[in-house]
C-alpha cells in the first residue's frame, strides 16, 4: 500500500530514490545468496507470468498508444512503444532465454597458493543495485530486469513517460512471477513517478546505486553521462567505420559494405563512414549498390570522383551518427591514413577493415582502439546475441570495467577469498 | 623549452592539463605499440638512471626536507618525505621489479568461434592515460610511473607540494632512462605546477584522462572521489574487521588478532574492529596481549566485561579508521550478528573470520561483501605484493572494474577482435 502514488506524493524525489534504493539493496543481499537454479526457476516463473498477463499488458499498452497518438508521437516512436501478442510472447521468451544462461556468480576467475600456504581465489559476485533509465521500448522493463536477476543484482527501473502503463503492467507480472520463485519483490522495482527530478536523484545516488545503464537515444545517454555521479555503462555514439583496403576482395567488400550500412540503418553497429583506399580498384562498385538501395552517399572531393551521385560531405559529417540510410565516404591514402581518420573520428564502438592482406589486418586490429575491431566482417554483428552472450544489457564504449556488448559477466564484479590456516604477516 | 614554468605561467590550469593530457595520449598510442621486451628494457634503463641520479635526487630531497622543517611538517610527514641512499636504491629496485612482471597487454581473456565461422577474441589493452594524484611520498613518482609504463599506459603525475623538488629530480631521471629505451618523454609527465586548480582540472578531464588513482590520506581521497568526473580507483577507508568465532582455535585467534592490529597500525589493512563471539571461551586472552603491546582498546558494554582496562567506545568508534594503536571491540551473538555488524560498518576493504568451523567460514566468505574476505589469516596481508601481484597501484573498494589490490591487470581494459572471412548479418 505504501507505494501508491497518492502516498508517496509528499516524499521528495531524492528521498523516494533513497528509500527504493535501500529496499533494493536489502533485496539484493537476499538475491545474492540464492543458488543459481533458484534464480533460474524464478525467472521461468516470471516468463510464465508475463505470458499469463498478456491481456493486461496489451490493455495497458493500448492506453499508452492512445495517449501517444494524442501527444503526437512520431510513427517511429509509436512503433517502439507498440506491443502485440507476438511482442509480448517474444518478451517472455527473452526472459526464458536469460533464465537459461550460465550464471556468472560464483565463477572462479583465478586462484593461487602463496608460498606461506594461503590460498587466494578471485570469485565473481553481483555488482549490487543497477539503475536502468530507458525510453519508449517497454520490453526493456523485462529484458533488463531478467539480466539483473540472473546475475544476482537488484534493478531500479525508470522507464519513459510514454510507456508508463505498459511498464507498470509488465513490472507487476514480472515481480509476481519472481515472487513465486522466492525472489523478494524489491529486487526489481519500477520508479513510481515520472518526475524528472527522480532521474537526477538516481544519477547522484553514489553509494546506493552501484551502476547506471541508460538505454535510449543520444540525448538521454548524454544527459546521464553528464550528470551521473554513479558509474555509467553506455555508449553515446556508434560512428562505425569500414575501411576497404587496397588488397580487399571486391566481392567480399561489396557484400560487407552493403550489409554494414543497409541491413538495418538504425542500430548502433551500422556503418556510418566508409573509407576507401585510394588504390582500391573497384570503388564504384562499392557505392553503386548503396545508392541503388536508397542510401544517400556524402563524400569528400576524392570520393565524389567515384560516382557523380555522391553529394558533398560537410565537416561535421565525419562525426555524425546518421542512424539512417545516409553514409559518408572518404578516399584515404592507405592504411596509415585510414588509421588516422578513425583515431580522429571514431566513437570507439566498432570499426572494421576488409582486406586479404594479413599484415594490414593485424595492424588495423592492433592499432584501432575501439571496443570492437573487425576484419572481413560486417559491423552489424556488434551485438551481444551475435557475440554469443545470449543477450545484452547494452554496448559500452568507456574504457573501464566492460567494453563492447555487455551481458551477465559485465553485471558482476569479483571479490578476493583468502583461505588461511593461521598465517600472520611478518 | 615550452614547459619551463615561466612559459606556462599565463596558461590556465585547465589548458595546461589539456595540453599535457593530449601529449600524454599521443605518447600512449606509441607506447601501446611497443613490444613487451622493449618496455621491460626501457624500465630497466629507467631504474639504472634513478641509481645514477641518486646524488641529484638526494640534493633535491634535502631542499624539500629543509622546507618541510621550516613549514613545521610533523615528524611522520617528514619521515614519509625523506630519502636516503637506501630508499633511492629501493625505489630503483622496485622499478626493476615492475620491469620483470609479466605484461598483461595482449593477453587473451577468452576466445570463441561462432556458428557462422567468425572467431571472437577478447584481448587486454592499456586503459590509456592514468592520472596519479599523491601526497608526500616521493617514491610514488617512480612506482606509479613504472606500473603505468609496464602496462602500456601513459601517466600524468601530480605529487605533493612538500615533495616538489624530489619529485622533479626523480621524474627527470626516470624519463631520461625511459627515453634511452625509446619510450616517448610524454609517456610520463609531472604536472609542472602546484596550483590546486590543476588538480581540479585533472579530476574533470573526462575523455582526456581515463582513470585517476589518488594515493594519500583520507582527505585527498575524499576530495578526489567527490570532485572527479573521471573514473577513480581508490579506497577511502580501511575499517577492517576480524571476527573471532565461537569455534576459533584460541592460539590461532590470539596470533592473528595481535598481528592484524599491531604489526603495523598505519596501513589500510590493519584491523580496526575486533568482533568476539559471545560464546568464544578465551576472550580475555585476545585482549590482554593487545593492551600489553600498547594498544588502546575501546569496547561496548559486553566487551568491557572482558577486561577492566577496556575503555568505553563511542558510537562513531565503529565507523572509525584509527590507523593507530587503537582498537574497538564488540561482543556479538554468533555469526549472524557478526555479519550484521560488518554489513553496517565495514568499508568493504578487508574482513576476516577466525574459526575451525568450515560451515561458518563458508558463510562468512560468501556473505561478507568486501573486496577481500579472509578465513584464518591476518588482515595485514591485504597488499598487492603479499597477493603475488608483484606491486600495487592501490587498493580499490569500489565495485566496478577492479577490487582489492590492483596491479598491472587492473591497469588494462580489453577489446574484442573479430576475425571474419566475409560474414554479413542476415
Amino acid at each position: 500500500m505504501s507505494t501508491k502514488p497518492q502516498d508517496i506524493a509528499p516524499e521528495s524525489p531524492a528521498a523516494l530514490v533513497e528509500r527504493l534504493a535501500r529496499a533494493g539493496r536489502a533485496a539484493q543481499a537476499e538475491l545474492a545468496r540464492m543458488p543459481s537454479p533458484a534464480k533460474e526457476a524464478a525467472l521461468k516463473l516470471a516468463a510464465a507470468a508475463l505470458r499469463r498477463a498478456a491481456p493486461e499488458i496489451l490493455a495497458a499498452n493500448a492506453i499508452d498508444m492512445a495517449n501517444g497518438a494524442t501527444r503526437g508521437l512520431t510513427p517511429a516512436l509509436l512503433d517502439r512503444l507498440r506491443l502485440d501478442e507476438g511482442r509480448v510472447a517474444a518478451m517472455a521468451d527473452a526472459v526464458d532465454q536469460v533464465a537459461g544462461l550460465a550464471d556468472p556468480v560464483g565463477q572462479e576467475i583465478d586462484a593461487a597458493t602463496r608460498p606461506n600456504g594461503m590460498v587466494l581465489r578471485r570469485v565473481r559476485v553481483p555488482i549490487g543495485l543497477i539503475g536502468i533509465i530507458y525510453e519508449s521500448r517497454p520490453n526493456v522493463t523485462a529484458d533488463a530486469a531478467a539480466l539483473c536477476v540472473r546475475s544476482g543484482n537488484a534493478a531500479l527501473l525508470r522507464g519513459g513517460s510514454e510507456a508508463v502503463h505498459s511498464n507498470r503492467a509488465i513490472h507487476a507480472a514480472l515481480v509476481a512471477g519472481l515472487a513465486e520463485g522466492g525472489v523478494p519483490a524489491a529486487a526489481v522495482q519500477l520508479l513510481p513517478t515520472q518526475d524528472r527530478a527522480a532521474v537526477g536523484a538516481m544519477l547522484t545516488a553514489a553509494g546506493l546505486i552501484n551502476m547506471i545503464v541508460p538505454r535510449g537515444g543520444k540525448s538521454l545517454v548524454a544527459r546521464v553521462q553528464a550528470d551521473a555521479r554513479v558509474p555509467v555503462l553506455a555508449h553515446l555514439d556508434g560512428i562505425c567505420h569500414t575501411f576497404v583496403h587496397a588488397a580487399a576482395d571486391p566481392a567480399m567488400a561489396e557484400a560487407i559494405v552493403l550489409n554494414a550500412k543497409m541491413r538495418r540503418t538504425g542500430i548502433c553497429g551500422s556503418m556510418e563512414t566508409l573509407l576507401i583506399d585510394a588504390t582500391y580498384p573497384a570503388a564504384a562498385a562499392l557505392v553503386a549498390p548503396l545508392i541503388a538501395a536508397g542510401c544517400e552517399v556524402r563524400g569528400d572531393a576524392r570520393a565524389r570522383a567515384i560516382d557523380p551521385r555522391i553529394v558533398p560531405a560537410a565537416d561535421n559529417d565525419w562525426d555524425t551518427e546518421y542512424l539512417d540510410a545516409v553514409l559518408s565516404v572518404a578516399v584515404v591514402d592507405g592504411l596509415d591514413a585510414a588509421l588516422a581518420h578513425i583515431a580522429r573520428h571514431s566513437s570507439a564502438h566498432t570499426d572494421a577493415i576488409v582486406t586479404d592482406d594479413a599484415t594490414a589486418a593485424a595492424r588495423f586490429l592492433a592499432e584501432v582502439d575501439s571496443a570492437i575491431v573487425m576484419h572481413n566482417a560486417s559491423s552489424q554483428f556488434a551485438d551481444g546475441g551475435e557475440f554469443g552472450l545470449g543477450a545484452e544489457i547494452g554496448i559500452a564504449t568507456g574504457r573501464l570495467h566492460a567494453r563492447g556488448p555487455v551481458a551477465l559477466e559485465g553485471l558482476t564484479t569479483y571479490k578476493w577469498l583468502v583461505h588461511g590456516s593461521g598465517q600472520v604477516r611478518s
Side-chain angles (χ1 to χ4, degrees), chain A:
Chain A
M1 302 294 275
S2 63
T3 56
K4 283 193 298 180
Q6 61 269 38
D7 289 337
I8 54 142
E11 197 176 22
S12 75
L16 167 69
V17 166
E18 180 172 344
R19 179 168 61 78
L20 297 181
R22 290 195 187 284
R25 297 178 72 79
Q28 193 273 325
E30 283 185 60
L31 186 61
R33 294 197 285 272
M34 282 181 73
S36 182
K39 290 185 289 183
E40 180 175 351
L43 283 167
K44 288 187 171 165
L45 290 165
L50 283 172
R51 289 189 188 96
R52 281 199 309 274
E56 290 82 5
I57 293 170
L58 292 175
N61 186 248
I63 300 173
D64 287 331
M65 289 293 290
N67 290 344
T70 306
R71 287 163 60 186
L73 295 188
T74 65
L77 268 177
L78 286 171
D79 181 61
R80 277 181 224 158
L81 181 57
R82 187 176 60 82
L83 294 175
D84 55 24
E85 296 278 355
R87 287 183 175 186
V88 173
M91 187 162 62
D93 290 349
V95 172
D96 260 336
Q97 192 184 338
V98 169
L101 294 176
D103 187 352
V105 173
Q107 281 177 356
E108 186 175 286
I109 299 172
D110 47 30
T113 303
R114 299 295 304 149
N116 67 5
M118 287 194 321
V119 174
L120 267 59
R121 296 166 59 224
R122 279 199 302 167
V123 172
R124 288 197 200 285
V125 297
I127 287 177
L129 176 62
I130 313 293
I132 318 278
I133 301 174
Y134 53 108
E135 293 182 321
S136 47
R137 289 185 198 275
N139 64 306
V140 174
T141 307
D143 287 355
L147 283 164
C148 288
V149 169
R150 189 71 191 97
S151 49
N153 294 286
L156 180 54
L157 306 165
R158 202 284 193 179
S161 57
E162 62 279 12
V164 62
H165 298 91
S166 309
N167 288 337
R168 284 180 187 163
I170 293 166
H171 174 256
L174 207 59
V175 294
L178 289 169
E180 292 174 48
V183 172
V188 178
Q189 296 177 99
L190 181 66
L191 209 60
T193 172
Q194 293 302 314
D195 184 347
R196 286 175 67 87
V199 174
M202 284 178 69
L203 296 179
T204 54
L208 289 169
I209 298 176
N210 298 107
M211 184 165 80
I212 298 270
V213 182
R215 292 282 298 265
K218 186 169 174 172
S219 64
L220 171 72
V221 177
R223 187 214 161 170
V224 166
Q225 290 185 328
D227 294 351
R229 308 312 307 265
V230 174
V232 174
L233 191 89
H235 68 275
L236 185 62
D237 273 327
I239 303 178
C240 301
H241 298 75
T242 301
F243 170 48
V244 176
H245 179 252
D249 174 79
M252 186 191 289
E254 287 154 29
I256 286 176
V257 163
L258 186 63
N259 185 266
K261 177 73 251 182
M262 297 304 288
R263 176 188 158 270
R264 279 180 64 190
T265 57
I267 66 173
C268 56
S270 66
M271 172 177 64
E272 305 294 16
T273 298
L274 171 64
L275 302 175
I276 305 177
D277 204 330
T279 59
Y280 176 72
L286 293 174
V287 173
L290 290 164
I291 295 175
C295 185
E296 175 185 334
V297 180
R298 305 178 186 176
D300 63 7
R302 295 167 79 187
R304 290 169 60 208
I306 295 170
D307 190 307
R309 295 168 295 175
I310 298 178
V311 300
D315 281 352
N316 66 359
D317 271 301
W318 314 109
D319 301 302
T320 299
E321 185 186 30
Y322 305 111
L323 295 173
D324 203 348
V326 182
L327 177 72
S328 55
V329 182
V331 171
V332 294
D333 291 312
L335 179 59
D336 284 302
L339 292 171
H341 182 106
I342 291 171
R344 185 164 168 204
H345 298 290
S346 170
S347 63
H349 187 295
T350 300
D351 297 296
I353 185 173
V354 184
T355 185
D356 284 346
D357 178 337
T359 306
R363 264 197 73 199
F364 189 90
L365 292 183
E367 296 187 23
V368 172
D369 191 16
S370 296
I372 304 170
V373 193
M374 296 183 168
H375 174 213
N376 288 349
S378 166
S379 60
Q380 298 252 344
F381 283 114
D383 171 86
E386 293 296 324
F387 274 33
L389 307 181
E392 70 179 27
I393 192 91
I395 291 186
T397 54
R399 299 193 70 81
L400 297 195
H401 187 66
R403 286 181 100 194
V406 179
L408 294 179
E409 184 194 300
L411 292 172
T412 65
T413 180
Y414 60 81
K415 65 180 175 187
W416 295 84
L417 301 181
V418 178
H419 304 270
S421 50
Q423 283 84 354
V424 296
R425 190 169 170 190
S426 56

